[in-house]
């Protein structure tokens, strides 16, 4: 997929840029390269009826294996909890009705497109990228199949084509970035949703809309919008009748896991201080040891080493 | 050595500075986390374009939007029976057949729980209530995130109540496909056959009503003051639909204005019961005491044991409207009885090797299974029932 030379180039470049540029900027200061007009999707789970049209629309758009639209009318699959995998980027899971509401909660599961994605941070070759406009995109040409993204994702979304021996890819929702950003269409799932439980638009406006709905129907909604703050915010925002931890979202901090790792790693290289320190220390040690040997027989040996260093 | 100490001191300083920088970095890494932004209060301010369609509205020409965007209000005063009887929703007729929406029926239901505003959330102070399509666009332009397009608007309105009432969300509940075929609904068709009858409020659309299995009425009829009505028998045994008796009901037949169910309601028994029992005399219903449930043997002299008990009345007698006595010949129903396909042991006699291959009518003359079997075709002396053409087996 990627030659050794290319790989070294990418990693070298990544390490270099990470150390010199990103270190001081994003992770540490909270500044963002994200577009203030970036897009997202608001999923009002209380409007979802589990018709699974979005599952079909997604599979159709992304050329994933799927049956007829009618075959998605089968509600029996909602009896089990499912996960997105390499054959489906999104699934609907049904959570039983709470005591105070007659309806169960149907929850659409897919990549939430974090604002500060752990998968992007973990990707050592830059195959996953956070588009400033919102979507977290994937470039199969750069991917080396290390699957660090799968480990890093706090929602365990990226899947891998283990059955594809020759050209396996990491598979996850792309927020239909081709359709949305280039063609100006709605994401396939949003377009097909018959109740407009999914609304596509600018993230800021969606948040406003979400809080408006909560204020209008405090009896219907849990007062927090999932994705506003969780793991530093996500492009997908979920509005449910109960806390997100009760519909499959793990208990997560308001900070991206990438912040911690990047702060440690980038902090070491901040202003090139770390390497400078180590190399200075080494040179001092070398110098002191050479100084000790000077009066004795060490001269010719030391010269040789110097010569080697220059070649290296 | 002195110079080495000096260098080391410089290095240590550098290291300390580096560490400080790293810790400082760690502390400021996420301002959003440290000072979480308070939950936003809803925006109450409106944009000019919410109400005005032009850039510079004047007193002379306020260019007001025909549809108020958000903060829409229902200002008119309307009665529920003002609206149309039926609304045909056919804006997406290329995909689905038109949905026939019983407007008046729904208006009646709404009247008990909040009136027109249950669905019509916006209406001017005077004039007609605007239909949904006046504001909700047929295509999804996604320009106003607050306003769903027409398809979304319909689905949001209808499904909310339908889910609460009948737990139905199958497309086929409302839609037919454009080619006239019913949309496949994955086995979610309403529970009772024939309940698509739009007048059948009680049976199909209404949440299930638990009727009393047996009603006993005291009447003034001297010859037989007690009338026993076995409701359960009529529904589960005789195959009647709710709408067979409860015709032309409206919500107000059973509920008062606030929606509370009324005490009890008596149907006009002459027209309702008489529809089926017109030819019967008074004693069919009126008696001195309560009547037992229907029993086939007591009423007709023919017990349904053992197999026919499982058969629905309608299988032999037809639908209630066309009730008839069935042909007594077993073969009128059991046309497939033949050698090899019928296990004779279920009758209590397991046939012996010799008898197993014989045609049914060798013994049951003219396939009259009700009559005594005849052995004289083969045997000189009369055999049955002293001797059996096999061995006894438990009747099943």
């Amino acid at each position: 997929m990627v030659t050794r030379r290319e790989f070294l180039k990418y990693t070298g470049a990544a390490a270099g840029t990470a150390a010199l540029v990103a270190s001081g900027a994003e992770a540490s200061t909270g500044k963002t390269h994200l577009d203030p007009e970036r897009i997202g999707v608001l999923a009002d789970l209380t409007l979802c009826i589990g018709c699974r049209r979005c599952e079909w629309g997604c599979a159709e758009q992304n050329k994933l294996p799927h049956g007829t639209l009618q075959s998605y009318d089968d509600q029996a699959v909602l009896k089990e909890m499912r996960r997105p995998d390499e054959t489906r980027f999104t699934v609907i899971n049904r959570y039983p009705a709470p005591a105070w509401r007659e309806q169960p909660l149907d929850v659409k599961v897919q990549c939430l497109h974090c604002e500060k994605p752990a998968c992007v941070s973990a990707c050592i070759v830059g195959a996953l990228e956070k588009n400033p406009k919102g979507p977290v995109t994937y470039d199969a040409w750069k991917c080396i199949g290390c699957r660090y993204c799968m480990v890093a994702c706090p929602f365990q979304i990226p899947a891998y084509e283990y059955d594809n021996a020759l050209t396996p890819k990491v598979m996850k929702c792309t927020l239909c970035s081709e359709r949305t950003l280039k063609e100006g269409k709605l994401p396939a799932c949003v377009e097909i949703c018959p109740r407009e439980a999914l609304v596509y638009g600018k993230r800021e406006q969606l948040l406003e809309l979400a809080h408006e709905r909560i204020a209008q129907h405090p009896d219907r909604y849990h007062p927090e919008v999932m994705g506003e703050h969780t793991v530093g915010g996500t492009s997908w925002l979920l509005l449910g009748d109960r806390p997100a931890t009760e519909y499959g979202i793990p208990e997560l901090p308001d900070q991206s896991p990438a912040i911690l790792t990047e702060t440690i790693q980038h902090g070491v290289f901040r202003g090139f201080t770390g390497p400078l320190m180590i190399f200075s220390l080494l040179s001092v040690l070398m110098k002191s040891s050479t100084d000790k040997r000077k009066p004795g027989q060490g001269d010719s040996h030391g010269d040789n080493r110097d010569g080697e260093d220059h070649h290296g | 050595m002195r110079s080495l100490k000096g260098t080391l001191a410089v290095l240590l300083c550098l290291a300390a500075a580096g560490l400080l920088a790293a810790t400082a970095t760690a502390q400021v890494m996420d301002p959003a986390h440290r000072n979480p932004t308070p939950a936003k209060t809803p925006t109450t301010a409106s944009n000019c374009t919410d109400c005005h369609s032009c850039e510079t509205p004047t007193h002379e020409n306020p260019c007001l939007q025909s549809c108020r965007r958000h903060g829409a209000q229902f200002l008119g005063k309307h009665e529920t029976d003002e609206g149309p009887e039926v609304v045909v929703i056919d804006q997406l007729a290329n995909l689905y057949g038109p949905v026939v929406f019983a407007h008046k029926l729904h208006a009646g239901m709404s009247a008990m729980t909040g009136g027109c505003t249950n669905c019509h959330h916006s209406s001017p102070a005077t004039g007609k209530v605007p239909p949904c399509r006046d504001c909700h666009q047929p295509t999804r332009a996604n320009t106003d995130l607050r306003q769903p397009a027409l398809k979304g608007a319909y689905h949001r309105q209808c499904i909310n109540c339908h889910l609460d009432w009948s737990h139905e969300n199958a497309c086929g509940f409302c839609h037919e496909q454009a080619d006239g075929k019913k949309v496949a609904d994955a086995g979610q068709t309403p529970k009772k056959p024939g309940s698509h009858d739009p007048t059948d409020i009680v049976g199909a659309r209404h949440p299930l009503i638990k009727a009393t299995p047996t009603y006993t009425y005291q009447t003034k009829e001297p010859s037989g003051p007690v009338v026993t009505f076995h409701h359960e028998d009529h529904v589960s045994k005789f195959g009647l639909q709710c709408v067979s008796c409860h015709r032309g009901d409206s919500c107000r037949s059973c509920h008062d204005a606030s929606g509370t169910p009324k005490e009890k309601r008596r149907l006009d028994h002459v027209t309702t019961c008489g529809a089926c029992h017109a030819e019967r005399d008074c004693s069919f219903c009126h008696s001195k005491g309560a009547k037992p449930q229907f029993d086939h043997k007591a009423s007709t002299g023919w017990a349904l044991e053992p197999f026919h008990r499982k058969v629905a009345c309608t299988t032999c007698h037809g639908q209630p409207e066309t009730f008839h006595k069935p042909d007594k010949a077993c073969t009128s129903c059991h046309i497939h009885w033949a050698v090899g396909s019928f296990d004779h042991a279920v009758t209590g006699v397991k046939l012996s090797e010799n008898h197993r291959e014989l045609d049914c009518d060798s013994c049951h003359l003219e396939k009259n299974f009700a009559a005594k079997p005849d052995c004289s075709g083969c045997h000189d002396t009369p055999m049955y029932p002293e001797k059996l053409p096999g061995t006894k087996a438990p009747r099943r």
Side-chain angles (χ1 to χ4, degrees):
Chain A
M1 210 177 274
V2 175
T3 62
R4 182 182 147 81
R5 184 177 290 270
E6 274 175 320
F7 171 67
L8 288 174
K9 205 166 72 187
Y10 283 129
T11 42
T17 19
L20 290 171
V21 185
S23 68
E26 224 158 281
S28 44
T29 58
K31 276 185 200 158
T32 173
H33 73 294
L34 297 176
D35 191 329
E37 302 252 290
R38 62 191 177 278
I39 52 84
V41 177
L42 172 67
D44 189 332
L45 306 176
T46 66
L47 286 177
C48 179
I49 51 165
C51 71
R52 301 177 60 219
R53 292 289 183 272
C54 52
E55 290 184 21
W56 182 86
C58 174
E60 174 85 359
Q61 170 67 28
N62 293 294
K63 300 184 178 63
L64 301 170
H66 64 283
T68 59
L69 185 59
Q70 275 72 30
S71 69
Y72 281 73
D73 284 339
D74 178 16
Q75 300 266 300
V77 294
L78 298 178
K79 285 179 188 150
E80 284 176 16
M81 289 294 160
R82 298 178 298 152
R83 292 205 56 79
D85 58 28
E86 71 278 12
T87 62
R88 52 191 188 204
F89 291 168
T90 186
V91 292
I92 298 282
N93 280 332
R94 177 164 289 176
Y95 291 83
W100 51 272
R101 192 171 170 246
E102 247 189 273
Q103 300 308 327
L105 191 71
D106 292 316
V107 180
K108 184 174 182 297
V109 188
Q110 80 295 304
C111 172
L112 293 168
H113 299 269
C114 303
E115 299 268 88
K116 176 72 190 153
C119 59
V120 171
S121 179
C123 184
I124 54 174
V125 290
L128 285 161
E129 276 181 317
K130 176 72 177 175
N131 187 314
K133 297 262 185 209
V136 175
T137 56
Y138 170 70
D139 185 347
W141 281 102
K142 290 182 187 169
C143 180
I144 54 164
C146 70
R147 287 158 281 142
Y148 282 4
C149 51
M150 296 169 67
V151 183
C153 176
F155 306 103
Q156 301 183 18
I157 292 297
Y160 195 64
E161 290 183 314
Y162 286 104
D163 292 339
N164 183 347
L166 296 175
T167 55
K169 294 190 291 291
V170 168
M171 303 290 274
K172 71 161 202 73
C173 161
T174 61
L175 229 166
C176 285
S177 57
E178 289 289 315
R179 280 170 67 98
T180 52
L181 300 183
K182 291 188 184 161
E183 299 170 32
K185 289 184 188 168
L186 296 172
C189 56
V190 175
E191 186 170 283
I192 204 167
C193 180
R195 294 194 83 196
E196 296 195 21
L198 305 176
V199 182
Y200 172 86
K202 289 172 191 158
R203 187 173 181 271
E204 279 304 304
Q205 291 184 354
L206 294 175
L207 273 172
E208 205 174 297
L209 179 62
H211 284 294
E212 252 177 48
R213 287 191 189 175
I214 292 172
Q216 277 166 11
H217 305 284
D219 52 325
R220 182 183 177 129
Y221 296 108
H222 179 71
E224 282 167 21
V225 183
M226 159 59 210
E228 183 171 11
H229 301 299
T230 306
V231 293
T234 57
S235 295
W236 273 75
L237 304 165
L238 311 181
L239 202 49
D241 65 358
R242 60 194 86 178
T245 46
E246 288 173 29
Y247 55 77
I249 302 287
E251 183 87 53
L252 291 165
D254 283 356
Q255 176 196 314
S256 168
I259 299 277
L260 178 66
T261 52
E262 286 185 11
T263 304
I264 294 171
Q265 290 179 336
H266 299 171
V268 170
F269 288 95
R270 191 177 171 81
F272 218 59
T273 324
L276 208 65
M277 276 163 52
I278 289 171
F279 289 122
S280 312
L281 189 69
L282 281 175
S283 67
V284 167
L285 285 176
M286 275 162 59
K287 186 149 182 8
S288 68
S289 61
T290 346
D291 283 350
K292 273 182 201 165
R293 286 174 193 166
K294 233 174 198 171
Q297 314 106 323
D299 282 4
S300 58
H301 197 69
D303 286 346
N304 273 346
R305 274 181 54 184
D306 282 351
E308 274 172 18
D309 281 354
H310 286 304
H311 287 297
Chain B
M1 271 317 270
R2 200 172 279 175
S3 66
L4 177 65
K5 273 182 189 168
T7 333
L8 271 173
V10 170
L11 273 172
L12 276 171
C13 284
L14 269 173
L19 268 176
L20 269 174
T23 18
T25 315
Q27 276 171 358
V28 290
M29 54 197 169
D30 190 0
H33 177 53
R34 290 176 66 221
N35 298 314
T37 42
K40 279 191 184 174
T41 45
T43 330
T44 42
S46 314
N47 289 324
C48 311
T49 50
D50 287 338
C51 303
H52 301 280
S53 59
C54 57
E55 287 235 329
T56 47
T58 58
H59 267 293
E60 291 71 40
N61 178 25
C63 59
L64 290 170
Q65 292 269 17
S66 55
C67 305
R68 296 188 63 192
R69 295 293 167 86
H70 61 284
Q73 278 178 305
F74 192 92
L75 299 168
K77 285 204 166 147
H78 300 272
E79 292 299 321
T80 47
D81 46 356
E82 249 177 59
E85 183 75 38
V86 161
V87 174
V88 178
I89 300 168
D90 57 358
Q91 282 83 18
L92 298 168
N94 54 335
L95 296 174
Y96 295 105
V99 171
V100 180
F101 172 68
H103 182 272
K104 194 156 269 182
L105 185 69
H106 285 82
M109 288 186 266
S110 269
M112 296 184 293
T113 55
C116 310
T117 49
N118 268 0
C119 304
H120 297 280
H121 44 85
S122 171
S123 175
T126 51
K128 280 188 171 180
V129 180
C132 309
R133 62 175 174 276
D134 272 14
C135 294
H136 296 277
Q137 303 302 315
T139 49
R140 196 167 168 183
N142 213 42
T143 44
D144 183 357
L145 301 183
R146 287 181 185 84
Q147 191 183 65
L150 192 58
K151 180 178 161 187
Y154 280 139
H155 282 118
R156 282 197 194 170
Q157 289 289 31
C158 304
I159 294 175
N160 256 4
C161 297
H162 279 253
L163 271 180
D164 281 346
W165 275 53
S166 55
H167 301 271
E168 283 281 359
N169 65 357
C171 310
F173 193 74
C174 301
H175 290 285
E176 280 187 352
Q177 268 174 351
D179 56 8
K181 279 184 207 148
K182 205 80 189 164
V183 176
D185 60 0
Q188 294 205 10
T189 36
K191 312 298 173 283
K192 289 181 180 181
S195 55
H196 277 302
D197 184 340
T199 60
D200 189 0
I201 311 171
V202 180
R205 311 299 203 231
H206 197 281
L208 195 65
I209 295 171
K210 276 194 178 166
T212 314
T214 300
Y215 295 91
T216 318
Y217 302 102
Q218 296 294 332
T219 67
K220 287 172 183 166
E221 172 65 35
S223 62
V226 182
V227 172
T228 319
F229 175 64
H230 293 287
H231 190 274
E232 178 72 21
D233 274 358
H234 284 76
V235 176
S236 62
K237 282 189 183 163
F238 311 150
L240 290 175
Q241 303 293 326
C242 303
V243 77
S244 308
C245 301
H246 300 278
R247 283 175 191 279
D249 275 354
S250 72
C251 312
R252 298 299 294 276
S253 320
C254 306
H255 297 271
D256 65 16
S258 67
T260 320
K262 284 179 187 168
E263 200 39 36
K264 205 173 177 184
R265 196 169 63 95
R266 234 173 243 189
L267 292 173
D268 175 7
H269 73 277
V270 178
T271 47
T272 312
C273 306
C276 298
H277 304 297
E279 291 162 18
R280 302 286 187 161
D281 57 20
C282 303
S283 69
F284 182 72
C285 300
H286 289 271
S287 57
K288 300 273 184 205
K291 279 193 168 187
Q293 275 182 283
F294 175 77
D295 181 71
H296 204 275
K297 190 177 183 187
S299 298
T300 68
W302 198 71
L304 292 176
E305 299 290 354
F307 307 111
H308 293 97
R309 183 169 284 267
K310 296 170 193 162
V311 180
C313 305
T314 49
T315 311
C316 303
H317 298 288
Q319 291 302 317
E321 300 78 29
T322 57
F323 181 91
H324 60 271
K325 286 190 175 177
D327 190 339
K328 276 186 182 166
C330 303
T331 47
S332 66
C333 290
H334 301 284
I335 49 171
H336 298 299
W337 274 359
V339 177
S341 69
F342 177 68
D343 178 14
H344 201 280
V346 299
T347 65
V349 176
K350 191 184 178 195
L351 292 179
S352 65
E353 285 283 330
N354 294 340
H355 292 94
R356 207 166 287 162
E357 299 298 318
L358 297 176
D359 277 334
C360 305
D361 56 2
S362 308
C363 308
H364 302 285
L365 299 181
E366 294 172 346
K367 290 199 177 181
N368 180 4
F369 298 99
K372 196 175 133 186
D374 182 62
C375 309
S376 62
C378 306
H379 301 279
D380 293 335
T381 47
M383 313 288 281
Y384 188 83
E386 286 75 33
K387 282 189 172 178
L388 296 176
T391 51
K392 276 197 172 180
R395 251 179 101 105
R396 276 180 278 145

